[in-house]
Amino acid sequence: LARILDVVADTGMNILTITQNIPIDGTSKVTISLQTNEDMLRKIEGMLENITGLEGVKDLRVIGSN
């Protein structure tokens, strides 16, 4: 989770909430909500690519956007 938060921090986006479930077999589901705007589209795309490449990330989904 710390590495994911580092990637988010590098983009300068604001984290609104972080929800982490109890780890099972060393894996935990984490939901992070971010405050974004249209000007951040390229940053978001790069951030998602960087997070996907991190060790331990099994799945990454964007579940809502405006």
Side-chain angles (χ1 to χ4, degrees), residues 15-30:
I15 296 173
L16 300 177
T17 62
I18 301 172
T19 306
Q20 181 177 6
N21 291 355
I22 297 171
I24 299 173
D25 295 329
T27 302
S28 179
K29 179 180 175 182
V30 177

Side-chain angles (χ1 to χ4, degrees), residues 23-46:
I24 299 173
D25 295 329
T27 302
S28 179
K29 179 180 175 182
V30 177
T31 303
I32 302 172
S33 61
L34 304 170
Q35 182 178 20
T36 63
N37 60 45
E38 289 181 25
D39 297 334
M40 295 181 170
L41 183 58
R42 289 189 182 170
K43 284 186 178 183
I44 294 169
E45 291 171 350

Side-chain angles (χ1 to χ4, degrees), residues 49-65:
E49 287 179 19
N50 291 337
I51 291 173
T52 300
L54 291 175
E55 181 181 343
V57 175
K58 307 291 184 204
D59 187 28
L60 176 66
R61 300 178 195 184
V62 176
I63 57 173
S65 62

